[in-house]
Amino acid sequence: MAASTENLEELPGVGPATADKLRENGYDSYQSIAVAGPAELSNTADIGESNANDIIQAARSAADIGGFETGTDVLERREQIGKLEWLVPEIDEMLGGGVETQSITEVYGEFGAGKSQITHQLAINVQLPNDAGGLHGRCIFIDSEDTFRPERIEEMVRGLSDEVIEAAMEDQEIEGGPNDDDAMDELIQAFLDKIHVAKAFNSNHQILLAEKAKEIAAEYEDDEYPVRLVCIDSLTAHFRAEYVGRGELANRQQKLNKHLHDIDRVGNLYNAATVVTNQVQSNPDAFFGDPTKPIGGNILGHKSTFRMYLKKSKGNKRIVKLVDAPNLPDGEAVMRVEGAGLKPE
């Protein structure tokens, strides 16, 4: 969690003018400065790189981050990490309890596989109380393909089990039950109110929205419902369309890398889960097996903590494969994508 502070002027080399520039660009805490790079901070605050480095080092010291710690310390810190359930038992078991906060989870698959359905479902689930599989938080949703539909949220809320609906109503202090139309309408409105949606018109706008996401997370840090999920659907669509050909590949990957670090920073500072969807392309070199591979290359592959492949099956069934995770074996599960949301097979 980021510990907000208004005393940036106490850092050596930070006067009132520099502090104002830092705050205007989202550097409003020691932690946010401590994890910045010297060149990045230099450009933001219009100061020399050497001075920026001194400010970063002072912030790291003040925030007490950046040093070594024991494995026991890491274990204790990891106990703060939340698990956001899909509410599909087979998948949650495969994920070791659900989608982790402070991590990037990538879901890739072909058109119509159900990637957007997952982001909609998780935008609902994150708001549920902890004992119902949620994180008692709100969601930031960056929409680059015009996929977000509030009507879909309504369908999925109505599709929750009676037990989960009752838990959500109690948590939201709504009187009534699953069969009470007025109470259900109030619950749906409560869910929609906690999803912050922005449509990204191009890659530069998408990068800007990731920076704005940090401001929203900071704004609700002490709220009853803090930001606990950031969804980007899809991460790569604009980058793929705007940077065409091998000559543009290096520039595309550089911008995508910065974008991923901006997103990851929000998740780490505010203990939020980050879920990004990704497009795929066909690999003509694959003579055996599935020729589908995700866009984004090694940069996205290395930065994503968990990678999940979504594949169409018969009817409304989808095969969900866990293809990469730091502490979990590869696995495979089956779910159904229905009007009522994601359901077990």
Side-chain angles (χ1 to χ4, degrees), residues 210-320:
E211 296 170 0
K212 293 292 184 184
K214 180 177 176 295
E215 296 178 13
I216 295 175
E219 178 184 350
Y220 288 100
E221 182 180 7
D222 298 321
D223 189 82
E224 184 183 358
Y225 284 85
V227 171
R228 286 289 180 261
L229 175 66
V230 178
C231 288
I232 304 182
D233 188 20
S234 86
L235 177 72
T236 51
H238 286 315
F239 292 91
R240 186 182 191 182
E242 294 168 25
Y243 297 90
V244 181
R246 289 188 178 274
E248 293 288 335
L249 183 60
N251 192 25
R252 183 190 81 173
Q253 293 302 90
Q254 186 178 22
K255 293 189 74 171
L256 184 59
N257 188 36
K258 181 187 182 303
H259 185 40
L260 283 166
H261 278 79
D262 288 342
I263 298 162
D264 194 37
R265 186 178 300 166
V266 176
N268 280 302
L269 287 175
Y270 299 98
N271 195 24
T274 302
V275 176
V276 301
T277 67
N278 190 11
Q279 297 182 342
V280 296
Q281 63 185 12
S282 181
N283 181 10
D285 299 328
F287 294 102
F288 303 98
D290 194 335
T292 302
K293 69 174 186 178
I295 301 295
N298 291 332
I299 282 178
L300 182 51
H302 289 308
K303 192 61 181 170
S304 298
T305 316
F306 300 90
R307 303 194 91 181
M308 306 184 72
Y309 176 32
L310 198 61
K311 187 177 180 181
K312 293 178 182 178
S313 186
K314 293 181 179 179
N316 62 4
K317 290 185 179 180
R318 299 293 184 270
I319 299 169
V320 184

Side-chain angles (χ1 to χ4, degrees), residues 39-275:
E40 176 187 349
L41 205 67
S42 174
N43 292 330
T44 299
D46 194 21
I47 55 177
E49 208 163 308
S50 176
N51 190 20
N53 187 61
D54 291 342
I55 293 171
I56 290 169
Q57 295 303 322
R60 286 176 179 173
S61 178
D64 192 25
I65 67 171
F68 286 95
E69 55 188 352
T70 68
T72 303
D73 293 332
V74 175
L75 181 61
E76 289 176 357
R77 182 162 46 82
R78 279 194 57 79
E79 289 175 355
Q80 304 302 314
I81 289 176
K83 299 272 191 173
L84 172 58
E85 295 184 15
W86 291 43
L87 297 181
V88 180
E90 193 177 356
I91 295 176
D92 290 326
E93 182 179 352
M94 182 174 69
L95 286 173
V99 178
E100 278 194 5
T101 60
Q102 300 182 37
S103 297
I104 294 178
T105 298
E106 174 198 358
V107 180
Y108 67 91
E110 62 182 338
F111 172 80
K115 302 184 295 295
S116 297
Q117 305 302 314
I118 292 170
T119 56
H120 280 68
Q121 186 73 66
L122 292 179
I124 293 168
N125 294 0
V126 72
Q127 300 183 44
L128 298 172
N130 297 73
D131 56 5
L135 295 174
H136 201 271
R138 61 184 66 235
C139 171
I140 294 173
F141 197 113
I142 298 176
D143 181 2
S144 71
E145 295 190 277
D146 193 25
T147 54
F148 181 78
R149 294 291 184 272
E151 300 89 347
R152 193 73 187 99
I153 296 294
E154 178 178 352
E155 288 180 329
M156 287 181 165
V157 171
R158 294 186 185 279
L160 295 170
S161 69
D162 287 354
E163 183 181 1
V164 171
I165 288 174
E166 287 169 359
M169 285 184 173
E170 182 179 354
D171 191 54
Q172 302 265 12
E173 297 182 351
I174 296 172
E175 295 183 3
N179 297 319
D180 185 329
D181 290 341
D182 290 339
M184 284 301 298
D185 289 343
E186 188 177 347
L187 182 65
I188 290 164
Q189 187 61 52
F191 273 103
L192 288 171
D193 285 343
K194 296 182 189 67
I195 303 174
H196 304 260
V197 186
K199 184 175 179 179
F201 295 101
N202 54 50
S203 62
N204 286 327
H205 187 215
Q206 184 172 322
I207 290 170
L208 176 64
L209 289 174
E211 296 170 0
K212 293 292 184 184
K214 180 177 176 295
E215 296 178 13
I216 295 175
E219 178 184 350
Y220 288 100
E221 182 180 7
D222 298 321
D223 189 82
E224 184 183 358
Y225 284 85
V227 171
R228 286 289 180 261
L229 175 66
V230 178
C231 288
I232 304 182
D233 188 20
S234 86
L235 177 72
T236 51
H238 286 315
F239 292 91
R240 186 182 191 182
E242 294 168 25
Y243 297 90
V244 181
R246 289 188 178 274
E248 293 288 335
L249 183 60
N251 192 25
R252 183 190 81 173
Q253 293 302 90
Q254 186 178 22
K255 293 189 74 171
L256 184 59
N257 188 36
K258 181 187 182 303
H259 185 40
L260 283 166
H261 278 79
D262 288 342
I263 298 162
D264 194 37
R265 186 178 300 166
V266 176
N268 280 302
L269 287 175
Y270 299 98
N271 195 24
T274 302
V275 176

